[in-house]
Amino acid sequence: MEQIAISEAAQAHFRKLLSTQEEGTNIRIFVVNPGTPNAECGVSYCPPNAVEESDIEMKYDNFSAFVDEVSLPFLEEAEIDYVTEELGAQLTLKAPNAKMRKVADDAPLIERVEYVIQTQINPQLASHGGRITLIEITEDGYAILQFGGGCNGCSMVDVTLKDGVEKQLISLFPNELKGAKDVTEHQRGEHSYY
């Protein structure tokens, strides 16, 4: 695995924090509940006696980051930054694969579409309390989706489906998908196929 991308600002922040810790203390980057919708990423101090034999060490300028074997695949393409804004500064950790492990380019279409839904589409819908679930992909190339959460019963669901989700899926899988269909009966909050 490549290094986790830690910006210069974040590295400087870690060096400053580590300078006040016990000699030999580094950082640990981890994922709690990896591969689930409840996955959470975090960074903590990692004193020398907390390093496990199976940990993967990533060396940075004057410190190391340790990652446990279970978290490692879910931290692929992760980025850590230290952003300074008017109201203060904060550490940001983006891990697009935390909730679902990255799938291979030659994986079955349903797995690749599910990956895009979990890592790109659902995080966008979550800001409105919504989510979608992939039910199936039909033989004629349609992704059958079920809307849930804040999307269920929303008057904008057709716009979200056609102008958002469907366009995004077709652009990512142009020769494999023809479109997307919603099976949710929004008036009753139930789902029915087709």
Side-chain angles (χ1 to χ4, degrees):
M1 172 170 172
E2 293 179 23
Q3 295 276 89
I4 292 174
I6 301 180
S7 71
E8 285 301 321
Q11 288 188 44
H13 177 67
F14 288 137
R15 282 192 292 273
K16 182 179 172 188
L17 291 174
L18 291 168
S19 70
T20 65
Q21 298 300 308
E22 168 193 349
E23 178 83 24
T25 299
N26 286 288
I27 64 168
R28 175 171 295 284
I29 305 169
F30 58 91
V31 182
V32 177
N33 300 318
T36 71
N38 303 325
E40 294 283 331
C41 299
V43 179
S44 65
Y45 290 118
C46 184
N49 63 354
V51 176
E52 300 288 331
E53 208 173 293
S54 59
D55 282 347
I56 289 76
E57 180 179 6
M58 298 178 186
K59 293 179 186 278
Y60 296 90
D61 201 9
N62 295 328
F63 71 92
S64 288
F66 290 92
V67 179
D68 64 271
E69 281 183 305
V70 174
S71 295
L72 190 65
F74 298 96
L75 289 168
E76 192 171 325
E77 298 178 8
E79 297 175 9
I80 300 176
D81 196 5
Y82 188 67
V83 183
T84 306
E85 296 169 341
E86 285 180 30
L87 299 173
Q90 81 176 42
L91 199 61
T92 62
L93 199 161
K94 293 179 185 156
N97 300 304
K99 293 182 187 321
M100 185 173 189
R101 189 180 203 152
K102 188 168 184 180
V103 296
D105 292 340
D106 61 352
L109 178 61
I110 194 161
E111 288 180 24
R112 291 180 284 131
V113 171
E114 178 69 21
Y115 176 77
V116 167
I117 287 170
Q118 295 302 331
T119 61
Q120 296 178 32
I121 296 171
N122 275 343
Q124 295 167 4
L125 295 176
S127 64
H128 301 282
R131 67 180 180 284
I132 59 171
T133 304
L134 177 63
I135 303 297
E136 69 172 309
I137 294 180
T138 63
E139 285 183 27
D140 58 348
Y142 284 88
I144 306 303
L145 308 171
Q146 181 177 344
F147 282 79
C151 291
N152 197 353
C154 173
S155 62
M156 295 299 290
V157 78
D158 290 339
V159 174
T160 301
L161 176 67
K162 291 293 171 198
D163 291 345
V165 176
E166 185 176 67
K167 278 186 179 174
Q168 189 170 354
L169 289 175
I170 291 172
S171 73
L172 292 169
F173 306 101
N175 301 321
E176 298 174 276
L177 282 181
K178 291 181 185 162
K181 295 180 181 177
D182 175 17
V183 298
T184 314
E185 284 190 27
H186 292 276
Q187 301 81 0
R188 294 204 301 266
E190 299 171 353
H191 58 82
S192 69
Y193 289 86
Y194 316 109

